[in-house]
Amino acid sequence: MEAEKDLLLVLGGPAGVSLIVLFGFSWGVLKSEDRSPVWAWLMIAAGALSVVLCVTFLALSSGRVFASWMATGTVEPVLVLLSMAWFVAIAALITVLVSVKRACRHLVECYHPNDTPLMVRWLRRWVEH
């Protein structure tokens, strides 16, 4: 049970707080009327970091979560919490992935159509189609 407790501490501790902060920051940037490229790029980086945190947690905990679902006997509270955290991580990952196009549109709107870096031009083609 030590590994399960460690995984819960990671999600409940630094990674969980980081996800909340990153989601809050990104939400604030998207709601802002200011179209600053610096904030937009930081928002994209925050989204990428959120994906890394969620995927890492899911990769580390999936084996134990699936094994707990197939186990017989008494239900351990730690495994129930780990399963709940696993679903929260999936929901957070889906939320980030669904918001990608909106975040890219925000980034594209920060630049004038004639004065954009190559990456923004590629994103502009993707967002406008």
Side-chain angles (χ1 to χ4, degrees):
M1 288 297 156
E2 286 300 315
E4 289 84 359
K5 289 178 184 176
D6 291 342
L7 286 169
L8 282 173
L9 285 175
V10 167
L11 188 67
V17 172
S18 297
L19 278 175
I20 292 169
V21 169
L22 294 173
F23 274 47
F25 171 76
S26 297
W27 184 256
V29 171
L30 286 173
K31 296 289 272 184
S32 171
E33 294 295 323
D34 180 31
R35 293 291 191 242
S36 169
V38 173
W39 291 114
W41 282 111
L42 287 173
M43 178 188 56
I44 298 290
L49 184 58
S50 298
V51 168
V52 168
L53 288 172
C54 289
V55 168
T56 301
F57 177 77
L58 290 171
L60 292 174
S61 64
S62 290
R64 298 203 185 272
V65 169
F66 293 144
S68 73
W69 291 349
M70 303 302 168
T72 58
T74 61
V75 178
E76 294 289 332
V78 172
L79 295 175
V80 173
L81 290 173
L82 186 62
S83 293
M84 288 174 49
W86 193 76
F87 284 115
V88 167
I90 290 174
L93 183 62
I94 290 170
T95 301
V96 171
L97 295 177
V98 166
S99 302
V100 166
K101 195 161 188 172
R102 182 177 176 199
C104 290
R105 182 176 295 117
H106 182 87
L107 176 66
V108 165
E109 290 173 357
C110 292
Y111 289 94
H112 296 290
N114 298 330
D115 182 34
T116 59
L118 180 62
M119 182 67 172
V120 175
R121 278 184 264 161
W122 290 344
L123 289 174
R124 185 180 309 264
R125 278 187 241 141
W126 177 63
V127 167
E128 291 176 353
H129 288 98

